[in-house]
Amino acid sequence: MLSLEALPILEDNYIWVLHDGRAALAVDPGDAAPLAAWLRRRELALVAVLVTHHHSDHVDGLPVLAADWPGLTVHGPARVSGVTNPVTGGRQVTALGMTFEVLGVPGHTLDHVAYWSAPWLFCGDTLFGAGCGRLFEGAPGQMFDSLGRLAALPDDTLVCCTHEYTLTNLRFARELQPDHPALAERWRVDGARRERGEPTLPSTIALERATNPFLRAGEPALLALTGTDTPLAAFTELRRRRNGFR
């Protein structure tokens, strides 16, 4: 039986850790110290790392972790320093006895990948709770297609993204659609979680399909709100508006 933990680091990041009570897998370790301390308190050996993309808040812990756990296997895009097994979309990786499908999800960065092994989806900065990542390297069409690839996963897929942006994303979504009942309910539930000091994550693909405006860009209401006539155009306009939202 595997357990999943969300380890808060930096300002609003999470390192996701899967473990079986003896060995552990970590996802996007942007800071080594809190992860290493957490693992040692629980007497867990770090055996593998999954990296979704090259940004520093996802990879800066790699050198220390590799030194502390010799033989550590690091899966990720080839441009990431410290990766021992370069991966791209369409590949598979094995860790903790599980096989993960590697999904190419360009948009936030051109070589961004996600890892899926039911029920877990580790999607980095592509799909967020009620939102999606900024387009630092990719084009809107690439991100739109990447999100569609993730939205096609089973309803009960657990969305394990790497930032606690959910409430800000929900405020944006509710400004667009203040009377949307599913958004109101998610705001109530996730707001209560944050007040208790709990993560809003993981969410599910079903919840994201119901409440995430970037997955709903083709709905008539959002086409009308954005003044566009195609789902991609609506997505592009929503992302533009979200860029300036605080």
Side-chain angles (χ1 to χ4, degrees), residues 28-42:
D28 284 348
D31 188 359
L35 174 60
W38 189 91
L39 291 168
R40 288 185 172 120
R41 284 197 302 272
R42 289 156 180 80

Side-chain angles (χ1 to χ4, degrees), residues 88-226:
T88 57
R91 297 277 302 278
Q92 295 182 335
V93 300
T94 301
L96 290 183
M98 298 182 302
T99 298
F100 288 88
E101 302 290 332
V102 182
L103 307 176
V105 286
H108 183 68
T109 65
L110 288 176
D111 55 357
H112 199 302
V113 295
Y115 302 86
W116 176 58
S117 182
W120 298 291
L121 170 68
F122 299 110
C123 53
D125 287 359
T126 298
L127 175 63
F128 289 137
C132 74
R134 288 178 179 265
L135 306 181
F136 287 112
E137 296 177 5
Q142 290 176 303
M143 180 64 97
F144 182 76
D145 289 345
S146 294
L147 292 171
R149 196 168 299 122
L150 299 184
L153 294 173
D155 283 358
D156 60 353
T157 298
L158 297 176
V159 177
C160 305
C161 57
T162 320
H163 289 279
E164 184 57 76
Y165 292 162
T166 308
L167 293 189
T168 302
N169 289 333
L170 286 172
R171 283 198 296 108
F172 172 73
R174 295 190 74 201
E175 284 200 9
L176 293 170
Q177 296 181 293
D179 299 321
H180 194 288
L183 284 170
E185 175 62 12
R186 187 171 185 184
W187 176 262
R188 183 190 68 79
V189 171
D190 284 343
R193 286 176 175 151
R194 294 308 289 155
E195 287 181 1
R196 295 193 298 266
E198 300 171 0
T200 62
L201 303 164
S203 70
T204 66
I205 287 293
L207 182 60
E208 296 306 325
R209 285 201 207 102
T211 58
N212 191 320
F214 297 101
L215 300 189
R216 299 169 45 240
E219 292 182 5
L222 288 174
L223 290 170
L225 281 167
T226 56

Side-chain angles (χ1 to χ4, degrees), residues 40-63:
R40 288 185 172 120
R41 284 197 302 272
R42 289 156 180 80
E43 299 182 342
L44 297 171
L46 185 63
V47 297
V49 170
L50 305 180
V51 174
T52 62
H53 66 290
H54 67 274
H55 287 164
S56 61
D57 59 326
H58 295 250
V59 303
D60 274 2
L62 289 177

